[in-house]
Amino acid sequence: MNNGTTKIVVLGTAGVGKTTVLKALINHPNTKRMFDATILVTVSRYWSTTKIQNQVLRQLSLSREYSETDSQVAERLLGVLKVRKFLLILDDLWEQIDLGAVGIPDSNSENRCKIIMAFRKLDSGHDKNEFKVVEIKTVSEKEARELFYEHVGRIIRSSDIQSFAETIVKGCGGLPLLIIVTGRALAEENDVSKWRDASIKFSLSRTSNGCQTEDVIQRLKFSFDQLKEHDVKSCFLHCALFPEDQDVNIFNFIEYCIKEGLVTGVAQADAKKRGRYIVDVLVSASLLQVTEGGKSIKMHDLIRDLALGILSSVQKDSKFPLRVGDQFLLSAYSRSMELFNSGSSSPSTSLCVPEGNQFLLRTGAGLAEPPSEEEWKHAKMVLLSDNELCTLPEEPNCPELLTLFLQRNCFLRVIPPSFFNYMTSLEVLNLSGTRIQSLPETLVKLEKLLILILQDCKCLFMLPSEVGFLVRLEVLDLQGTEIDKLPDEHGELEFLRRLEVPFYGSIDDGEYVKLPRQLISCGIISKLFNLETLCIVLYPGDARWHEDVKYIKTEVCKLKKLSSLCFHFPEIEHVQEFLTASDPWKNKLLMEFKFVVGREVKDISSHIPDFLDFDYNQQRQCLRFVNGEKKPDEVLQILARSTAFYLDNHLDIESLSNFGLSNVNGLKFCLICECPRIKTVVRVDEVEEDTNAAFPLLETLSIHRLWNLTSIWEGILPEGSFAQLRILSLHGCPKLEYVFRSSMIQYLCKLEELVIEDCRGIEQIIVEEEPTHSDSVVLPSLKKLTLHYLPALVNICRGPWPLFEYISFYRCPNLKKIGIDSKLKDVMIKAEKSWWDGLEWENDELCLHLENCSTIIFQDRL
């Protein structure tokens, strides 16, 4: 408020709370009365005039014209701001900047404008007579203790813990960020040994106001180490890949993490739920900040330094060549992933603030043009995924580059011929989801390449022979490409540990005859004796495989290190040889498998939706038995070890329990499609006397086009049957007249989602076997209900409904009443308007209540 002071420097070490103080200043009532405009710009270490101008323009409700240069924008800003009394706050400054070049007029006593600049420290180049310095000091020891105790919670009252807590508080050096993050990391931790270990780490050297940023980061890493789950750590580090100070939409971030394979679930919905949980964990730990009213997240710049330090760190005492960061960024490919499972802490590493030019991070930045070649020069990690790049530098000179991410740049079609000339240190290359049609010959220059990921490059039809010269290659992922033959040179990749390859086929006979006669030459697979993961995916009905498999299965049996295998056995004889000759299978070392047994046929369209196929493939031990007959012993052996079973067009099986409940009771996921003789899923007379329950672990049951199905099960099953069932879907079962009998409901206490489509015989969802007057809710966990194309449906159930979150009705013309009561709210209901308007309500108030308390979406077409 002093008119004589026009420039103020806010000074304080990283994490002391400068940004918090400045935001409080902006929100102060006096500030709002004093100025016409208040502008907050986060400058950061790697600032540019354009970046600062764009922030100023946005806060003045202006925009940059497409062809405007920085100098033209500066001239326009000068004109706007000269006539306004403004407060400009420049946060996170690392050096002096020319405000005139940005377009900021000088502040003086005449225009009564103010400029506040926040620095971590001032260098000798600053003239301290130009401004007033306000130093943000660390909090007192008493304040630090109170802040720490507030975030730790009640557990701090334990006398066994308090002495360790005092040491930790002192070790935080009065820095609010470090106090809060550390307190959150130890919240409700009742293991005294954990507190003892933490106190030792925080007492090694005392953090003070004059400490180095490296000391603070090393202490912040304690909070990262306290994260118990590998996917939480991976998602945290991936957040640092987005441009500095960028608010990242939470929904987009979760989608990104799912695409990267960091977040998985039994179903896609589970993966999204898991992603939301992970974000909540990181926000609760204060490692991420929520912005934009809870829609987005961002990282504090010091937390970002922590993440980048971890990404660039090197694991001690390990022969594994990848850095710690790569093990998190590429968790699906990392041989050392087990180091981070079961709540184990990350490897011992020494962190420091990495130099800015080590990282070129522009993930999800909307780039249409690549960064300049100068920016590539000293980079060790270049991460440009999820942009709109259509070109790349012709010949970037970046001899120190270790990791290059270009995935999901869907406009990128060509890799320049000389692009790899000066990337001789490159270890990881990810080109997934681009539209490249080939790889340049300069690929041979990547002599140190360990991981090559080309997943979902749908325009890539062939690999160059040069790939065979990447002698150190350990991972080659070609899933989702259109490769028609594996080059013979791949047999030279003797260090290859992971090979994933699909083969292109064609339903068109004219095109099919032009394809190579062999998919993989004889002797290639047997040379890859270090393989741990082998995934071969075939085009349905590709007859070439029927010849190749005769020798390839024999070669696969010789691979002693396999722990994961995806393979197609067209004949039972092939399965028999594998089960008797493969040591990994016999010794139960094959921890993950996806087997197809039987001859597939070409089909123009699948009756199974893509999301369900995705959910099936999320399982670790999968068996698909297609076009089969009877119950071959070899199939039963595999089924007994499987967690997912896809029974496709079996010709004579009448119920799933025909396979023997002892063989199917380990299933978590079951998909049944087009089996013409199946009448019921479980026949009670086939339940063995010594069986405690039927399908006790099953979580998902999806049934498609079973024309003779009349029931899911009949009779009384043992207690515990279907106890874990969460998702049940029925599609195209015309003889089914009901879904459940009332006596079945007791088994389904965990059922969350019920989908019934195109079952024209269904009259009731739940049939009451005897009159009941119970007011208890049936299916208490049910959250989602979908009823489509059910022309005979007249009733769902008697009694109160569960507290649904989502209900969808479509083409159920004879359903006139629904049992919703006034307790139901915050539910999304989708229905045809004409059907909804024709419903018979017990009272008009209930209809009005639903329309006021729920989201009603009228859909006349699906």
Side-chain angles (χ1 to χ4, degrees):
M1 298 178 74
N2 184 342
N3 290 334
T5 302
T6 61
K7 291 183 180 178
I8 302 169
V9 165
V10 174
L11 202 60
T13 189
V16 78
K18 299 185 296 297
T19 301
T20 302
V21 169
L22 293 173
K23 287 182 177 179
L25 174 66
I26 291 173
N27 293 322
H28 196 282
N30 287 353
T31 305
K32 294 179 180 180
R33 286 194 291 266
M34 289 173 63
F35 299 98
D36 300 329
T38 302
I39 305 165
L40 172 63
V41 175
T42 303
V43 180
S44 300
R45 191 183 321 180
Y46 316 115
W47 64 276
S48 68
T49 299
T50 301
K51 177 181 174 182
I52 295 174
Q53 286 178 334
N54 287 344
Q55 291 188 67
V56 175
L57 287 168
R58 185 170 61 252
Q59 293 178 64
L60 293 174
S61 299
L62 302 172
S63 59
R64 180 186 290 267
E65 299 298 329
Y66 178 73
S67 58
E68 250 184 331
T69 63
D70 287 351
S71 59
Q72 289 172 326
V73 172
E75 187 176 346
R76 187 152 60 94
L77 281 176
L78 278 169
V80 171
L81 292 174
K82 274 183 178 179
V83 297
R84 303 184 73 172
K85 183 182 177 184
F86 65 85
L87 169 64
L88 173 66
I89 299 176
L90 300 168
D91 193 18
D92 198 20
L93 272 164
W94 289 71
E95 58 186 330
Q96 293 188 74
I97 62 176
D98 183 354
L99 291 180
V102 174
I104 307 298
D106 193 27
S107 58
N108 53 58
S109 56
E110 293 180 7
N111 61 22
R112 291 184 297 167
C113 296
K114 306 275 184 176
I115 297 176
I116 299 178
M117 298 169 285
F119 286 90
R120 292 187 183 183
K121 61 182 179 180
L122 291 175
D123 58 42
S124 57
H126 289 88
D127 183 357
K128 295 184 180 180
N129 295 320
E130 286 187 8
F131 42 76
K132 177 180 177 61
V133 175
V134 176
E135 186 173 356
I136 307 294
K137 297 183 180 296
T138 55
V139 298
S140 69
E141 190 169 319
K142 179 174 181 280
E143 291 169 325
R145 185 182 302 107
E146 290 174 352
L147 185 61
F148 183 74
Y149 283 21
E150 175 188 340
H151 289 281
V152 170
R154 289 184 185 176
I155 196 70
I156 203 74
R157 297 176 185 174
S158 167
S159 57
D160 295 332
I161 285 174
Q162 281 189 350
S163 62
F164 299 128
E166 289 296 316
T167 302
I168 294 169
V169 170
K170 290 178 182 178
C172 290
L175 295 175
L177 176 68
L178 184 54
I179 294 167
I180 292 169
V181 171
T182 306
R184 294 283 182 91
L186 289 166
E188 306 304 329
E189 177 58 74
N190 56 14
D191 187 340
V192 177
S193 65
K194 295 275 183 71
W195 282 88
R196 183 185 299 110
D197 293 343
S199 69
I200 292 171
K201 292 178 181 177
F202 278 76
S203 64
L204 293 177
S205 62
R206 294 290 163 82
T207 302
S208 66
N209 195 33
C211 73
Q212 297 296 315
T213 302
E214 287 84 349
D215 298 328
V216 181
I217 290 176
Q218 195 65 51
R219 280 164 173 69
L220 284 171
K221 185 176 180 289
F222 171 79
S223 301
F224 175 81
D225 291 339
Q226 285 294 102
L227 298 174
K228 293 180 172 58
E229 295 157 299
H230 178 77
D231 58 355
V232 178
K233 291 181 175 182
S234 290
C235 289
F236 165 71
L237 294 178
H238 269 73
C239 200
L241 307 186
F242 290 85
E244 194 172 17
D245 298 310
Q246 175 177 316
D247 289 354
V248 182
N249 179 272
I250 291 176
F251 174 79
N252 293 340
F253 177 68
I254 292 171
E255 287 290 320
Y256 170 82
C257 291
I258 291 173
K259 288 176 183 175
E260 288 296 316
L262 306 175
V263 178
T264 59
V266 174
Q268 281 183 319
D270 292 332
K272 290 178 181 179
K273 188 183 295 184
R274 176 67 183 174
R276 183 70 228 201
Y277 164 79
I278 289 172
V279 169
D280 290 343
V281 167
L282 294 173
V283 169
S284 176
S286 289
L287 292 172
L288 293 181
Q289 302 168 351
V290 175
T291 62
E292 296 183 356
K295 294 180 180 179
S296 299
I297 48 177
K298 69 179 297 184
M299 274 186 163
H300 186 284
D301 54 350
L302 202 57
I303 299 293
R304 180 180 167 87
D305 286 343
L306 164 68
L308 295 182
I310 294 170
L311 288 175
S312 61
S313 60
V314 177
Q315 182 179 326
K316 293 180 179 179
D317 304 321
S318 173
K319 296 179 181 179
F320 187 64
L322 292 182
R323 295 168 305 287
V324 172
D326 281 325
Q327 294 174 22
F328 282 106
L329 299 183
L330 300 165
S331 59
Y333 305 100
S334 173
R335 153 172 71 188
S336 298
M337 196 170 98
E338 63 269 15
L339 290 171
F340 307 105
N341 288 337
S342 305
S344 61
S345 62
S346 59
S348 173
T349 56
S350 179
L351 299 185
C352 62
V353 181
E355 291 295 327
N357 56 14
Q358 290 182 10
F359 296 94
L360 180 50
L361 308 181
R362 301 285 194 280
T363 295
L367 297 181
E369 298 291 334
S372 67
E373 292 197 25
E374 183 63 29
E375 292 183 82
W376 293 65
K377 194 167 185 179
H378 299 291
K380 291 186 177 179
M381 298 182 78
V382 173
L383 308 176
L384 302 174
S385 52
D386 293 276
N387 281 293
E388 299 173 8
L389 299 177
C390 53
T391 61
L392 292 172
E394 289 295 323
E395 196 174 36
N397 184 11
C398 39
E400 300 177 58
L401 186 63
L402 299 171
T403 302
L404 176 58
F405 280 10
L406 291 167
Q407 62 266 40
R408 293 184 298 279
N409 280 279
C410 59
F411 297 112
L412 185 61
R413 296 173 181 271
V414 176
I415 307 291
S418 303
F419 183 71
F420 295 121
N421 267 345
Y422 301 106
M423 296 185 187
T424 51
S425 298
L426 194 67
E427 296 177 356
V428 179
L429 175 60
N430 192 340
L431 292 165
S432 297
T434 60
R435 301 191 69 183
I436 60 170
Q437 298 180 21
S438 63
L439 292 167
E441 293 180 1
T442 52
L443 194 70
V444 297
K445 300 291 185 71
L446 307 181
E447 296 178 354
K448 297 183 179 179
L449 195 67
L450 300 170
I451 295 178
L452 176 58
I453 309 171
L454 298 166
Q455 196 175 104
D456 294 323
C457 293
K458 298 184 184 301
C459 297
L460 188 64
F461 289 93
M462 61 180 296
L463 283 179
S465 59
E466 283 78 10
V467 173
F469 295 97
L470 304 176
V471 292
R472 294 188 61 187
L473 199 66
E474 297 190 13
V475 173
L476 178 58
D477 187 347
L478 302 169
Q479 286 292 350
T481 62
E482 299 286 351
I483 302 298
D484 56 19
K485 178 178 171 59
L486 194 69
D488 291 351
E489 289 82 1
H490 283 54
E492 304 304 316
L493 303 176
E494 62 179 48
F495 291 104
L496 202 63
R497 294 184 297 107
R498 185 182 188 113
L499 173 62
E500 302 191 45
V501 55
F503 288 106
Y504 174 74
S506 177
I507 200 169
D508 180 78
D509 291 337
E511 184 181 357
Y512 182 76
V513 296
K514 298 177 184 177
L515 296 174
R517 290 297 86 202
Q518 281 185 312
L519 300 172
I520 306 174
S521 296
C522 183
I524 300 299
I525 296 298
S526 58
K527 290 182 179 179
L528 307 178
F529 50 85
N530 280 308
L531 276 181
E532 298 168 11
T533 295
L534 174 61
C535 180
I536 300 174
V537 178
L538 303 168
Y539 187 83
D542 194 335
R544 295 175 296 170
W545 180 250
H546 300 160
E547 292 300 317
D548 290 3
V549 72
K550 294 176 182 177
Y551 56 83
I552 291 176
K553 71 172 187 310
T554 303
E555 295 182 32
V556 169
C557 290
K558 297 177 181 178
L559 300 176
K560 305 297 184 184
K561 298 182 180 181
L562 273 185
S563 60
S564 177
L565 176 63
C566 177
F567 204 76
H568 182 190
F569 301 96
E571 307 290 348
I572 290 297
E573 292 76 14
H574 303 144
V575 183
Q576 185 178 32
E577 180 181 342
F578 173 79
L579 297 183
T580 56
S582 170
D583 284 344
W585 175 265
K586 290 188 295 182
N587 298 326
K588 297 186 177 181
L589 300 176
L590 202 61
M591 306 305 295
E592 183 172 353
F593 58 82
K594 290 180 174 60
F595 292 155
V596 178
V597 177
R599 292 204 176 198
E600 290 188 275
V601 295
K602 297 178 183 179
D603 199 350
I604 296 175
S605 62
S606 172
H607 300 298
I608 303 301
D610 289 342
F611 77 86
L612 196 60
D613 194 55
F614 172 88
D615 295 345
Y616 168 75
N617 283 297
Q618 291 299 299
Q619 308 301 313
R620 289 177 61 83
Q621 293 96 23
C622 302
L623 169 62
R624 182 181 175 201
F625 189 22
V626 56
N627 293 316
E629 296 181 74
K630 301 180 181 178
K631 301 171 292 183
D633 288 341
E634 293 81 3
V635 169
L636 297 181
Q637 286 184 51
I638 299 173
L639 185 57
R641 293 193 196 178
S642 299
T643 57
F645 186 32
Y646 182 175
L647 186 64
D648 188 357
N649 197 28
H650 195 285
L651 300 181
D652 54 20
I653 207 84
E654 293 187 355
S655 78
L656 207 59
S657 49
N658 285 171
F659 289 102
L661 288 182
S662 59
N663 294 318
V664 297
N665 271 2
L667 295 179
K668 295 183 178 181
F669 189 103
C670 185
L671 177 58
I672 311 173
C673 181
E674 296 191 357
C675 299
R677 299 192 63 183
I678 287 186
K679 296 179 181 179
T680 185
V681 176
V682 180
R683 284 175 50 176
V684 175
D685 59 0
E686 292 180 326
V687 178
E688 297 93 336
E689 291 184 5
D690 59 347
T691 300
N692 295 324
F695 296 96
L697 304 179
L698 193 65
E699 297 178 12
T700 299
L701 175 59
S702 190
I703 295 172
H704 298 256
R705 297 164 66 88
L706 299 189
W707 301 287
N708 287 301
L709 185 75
T710 57
S711 65
I712 298 174
W713 73 76
E714 290 285 352
I716 304 300
L717 286 176
E719 186 177 351
S721 299
F722 292 92
Q724 300 298 321
L725 191 65
R726 294 173 47 241
I727 301 172
L728 172 62
S729 61
L730 298 160
H731 310 260
C733 302
K735 291 189 178 180
L736 200 62
E737 295 181 357
Y738 63 90
V739 181
F740 310 114
R741 291 187 179 275
S742 56
S743 60
M744 299 167 64
I745 300 300
Q746 60 180 312
Y747 300 115
L748 304 171
C749 58
K750 292 191 177 181
L751 189 67
E752 297 177 7
E753 181 174 356
L754 176 62
V755 179
I756 309 170
E757 292 185 327
D758 194 22
C759 297
R760 60 178 180 266
I762 286 184
E763 299 177 2
Q764 301 182 73
I765 303 301
I766 301 174
V767 174
E768 292 212 19
E769 295 169 296
E770 56 186 45
T772 177
H773 302 288
S774 173
D775 292 330
S776 60
V777 175
V778 296
L779 302 174
S781 299
L782 197 61
K783 302 298 181 187
K784 298 180 68 175
L785 176 65
T786 301
L787 303 174
H788 292 172
Y789 300 103
L790 306 177
L793 182 66
V794 295
N795 182 41
I796 295 176
C797 68
R798 297 186 183 276
W801 278 22
L803 296 177
F804 286 108
E805 296 174 358
Y806 172 91
I807 312 173
S808 179
F809 300 100
Y810 189 74
R811 295 293 175 90
C812 302
N814 289 307
L815 183 64
K816 302 296 185 181
K817 294 182 179 181
I818 53 177
I820 298 177
D821 61 27
S822 59
K823 294 178 182 178
L824 199 64
K825 57 183 179 179
D826 298 327
V827 61
M828 177 184 288
I829 301 175
K830 290 186 176 183
E832 299 151 288
K833 190 174 191 311
S834 58
W835 176 83
W836 181 264
D837 291 340
L839 283 176
E840 299 172 6
W841 299 94
E842 291 184 8
N843 57 71
D844 294 337
E845 288 79 8
L846 179 57
C847 180
L848 187 62
H849 164 79
L850 281 175
E851 292 180 348
N852 288 335
C853 298
S854 307
T855 302
I856 311 291
I857 298 175
F858 295 118
Q859 52 181 17
D860 292 328
R861 297 180 64 184
L862 280 181

